[in-house]
Amino acid sequence: MPDARRAGRAAVNALRTLLERHNHIVQEVDGQNDFGEDLHVTFTENGEVAGDLVKIQVKGGRSWRRADGYAVPVGDHGDTWANGNIPVLCVVHDPDTGGLYWVNATKELRSARRDGEVLKTITISPNEQLADNSIVDFVAEVRHYLSLYRGNRVIQAQLGETAGVEFGPSDIVQHHVNVYGEDLIFWQRRGEGFATLLHSDLDWYPQHFGPEHFHPGGRPGLLPRAPGVAQTILNTAEAHWLEACIDAAQWAREPAAGEPPLHTNIDARDNYVARRIEHRLWIEPDALTRAIQKVRTDTTADHELITTLRELESDAEADAEALSTPWREMSEKARRLVTFYLVKEVRVGSPSLPIDEQFRIVWRCPRPTAEYGFGARIGQPSTRRLVNRELVLAFQLRPGDRIFWLSRYGNERGRTVSAVWDSEDTPGAVCVLFDQLMLGDTFWPEERFVRKVSAKTR
């Protein structure tokens, strides 16, 4: 038998002998394959099976010794040790002293992951010796961890069943109950550039967002100083909880080194496209009409496009619904038709990108011109109520409207709206082009303006 194999066999025998001497049940795993586990141990209490099971990777020999203790390489076992249904311990047997030294590998890997680290090696302290005089404390510590680990998995599974989703073993899941008894769930997938908020009062419809969509101090025009995320208004306690979740999960939005790449979140992509379409139809009521005209023009030279169009338009009921029904009330068939009219292509980037960069929509009718960001604005909309003026919100502006603008010095002048569109650079915002200028100004949809009341309106 090779020396390494002999040392490994001696280590397994030493640990097995110790555990069985204290009446615990030990089952060996086939040593011909490296599954990252050598023993399955079921603990007992007062001669009865306790029902707590742990997996153990056993190493033996001088090669595992280090200046500060002992070390076990993680190798290809990082994911199974950190995310498996059963926690894994690592035990090293020192042939010179006969001592056994242990560490909770699952706990170490998960702790490092919270700090944004990926361990290649797990260090074992020389103070963590496993012997007859320490086995009672060892069993108590491991069983306590098992109860917490199992409890977290049960709670996570119950939350997933309640919200109608399935959480992964490495996902960060946090739960909050507000003063009205409503449930909120924060969900961060490892390596995904955005998080998901699930809210029972919103029928658990997933809201995908990043830190850039969270406004703890409120958003202009929505409600004075009311915190919110995306289009959802939060109370103060909810905002504090969500802010803590976002900060705590910052490390998890980075791709994990050494782990397989995350697949594109198809549900998030579809929800994102649906939300952008709804917002565009809200900001630009004529967007669908213009897109249909564009499709009709394009189909004259694209046979594949006209085949798809005929297939979608063959359902007369869905066709009529697409032209007359609000987005949220449409059937799936009507939504597919509207999406075909409006969207030419959805380009998908790396899952680690923020959601607005990960999914890029190519519209059939592109925006009229480029945009200024919020920071480029000089002055602000006037809200002075005078005769022949009415108060409107940014999303209600239409080409031809005459609005009034305040300079940085408070001087007011009139401006004419040339175009209004759904922002591409800041999805969820509104862009307004004034006076046939080169670039559009960006506003939140609820920002207030005063516009001149036309004779037709009167």
Side-chain angles (χ1 to χ4, degrees), residues 33 36 92 156 232 317 346:
N33 299 297
V92 170
Q156 187 168 301
T232 301
E317 185 176 341
V346 179

Side-chain angles (χ1 to χ4, degrees), residues 90-246:
C90 288
V91 175
V92 170
H93 177 250
D94 190 322
D96 293 335
T97 65
L100 294 164
Y101 303 88
W102 76 282
V103 67
N104 186 331
T106 298
K107 184 177 181 179
E108 292 296 310
L109 288 167
R110 292 171 72 88
S111 177
R113 190 171 62 190
R114 284 193 295 272
D115 296 331
E117 301 176 21
V118 178
L119 294 184
K120 300 296 184 182
T121 303
I122 296 178
T123 302
I124 304 177
S125 168
N127 299 322
E128 297 297 335
Q129 187 169 5
L130 181 54
D132 287 308
N133 62 355
S134 64
I135 194 165
V136 172
D137 291 338
F138 161 78
V139 171
E141 182 177 339
V142 173
R143 289 188 65 191
H144 176 67
Y145 182 79
L146 287 171
S147 67
L148 295 176
Y149 190 84
R150 189 165 51 239
N152 288 337
R153 290 299 178 91
V154 169
I155 292 172
Q156 187 168 301
Q158 290 175 340
L159 289 173
E161 290 174 2
T162 301
V165 298
E166 186 174 339
F167 301 122
S170 63
D171 294 351
I172 296 174
V173 180
Q174 300 291 343
H175 179 225
H176 176 76
V177 181
N178 65 20
V179 294
Y180 306 106
E182 299 163 347
D183 293 284
L184 289 81
I185 298 174
F186 173 88
W187 178 13
Q188 176 68 63
R189 295 173 72 208
R190 181 71 172 97
E192 193 160 69
F194 56 87
T196 301
L197 177 66
L198 302 165
H199 197 310
S200 62
D201 194 47
L202 301 176
D203 297 326
W204 300 114
Y205 186 82
Q207 298 183 77
H208 308 290
F209 70 97
E212 66 275 15
H213 303 114
F214 178 54
H215 306 281
R219 203 176 76 183
L222 191 57
L223 276 179
R225 295 178 295 281
V229 57
Q231 302 299 318
T232 301
I233 298 173
L234 306 171
N235 62 35
T236 302
E238 291 170 341
H240 287 162
W241 166 77
L242 189 59
E243 187 169 25
C245 290
I246 293 171

Side-chain angles (χ1 to χ4, degrees), residues 359-402:
F359 305 120
R360 284 291 192 180
I361 298 176
V362 180
W363 303 99
R364 293 198 187 277
C365 296
R367 60 184 176 180
T369 184
E371 310 168 11
Y372 287 116
F374 285 102
R377 189 188 303 178
I378 300 176
Q380 62 185 16
S382 173
T383 56
R384 293 174 181 171
R385 301 288 297 274
L386 300 174
V387 177
N388 292 336
R389 291 185 182 184
E390 61 181 351
L391 195 65
V392 295
L393 305 181
F395 76 89
Q396 296 173 313
L397 294 175
R398 298 292 176 260
D401 285 349
R402 186 70 172 171

Side-chain angles (χ1 to χ4, degrees), residues 30 56 119 211 258 334 458:
D30 182 7
I56 302 180
L119 294 184
R458 291 199 302 269

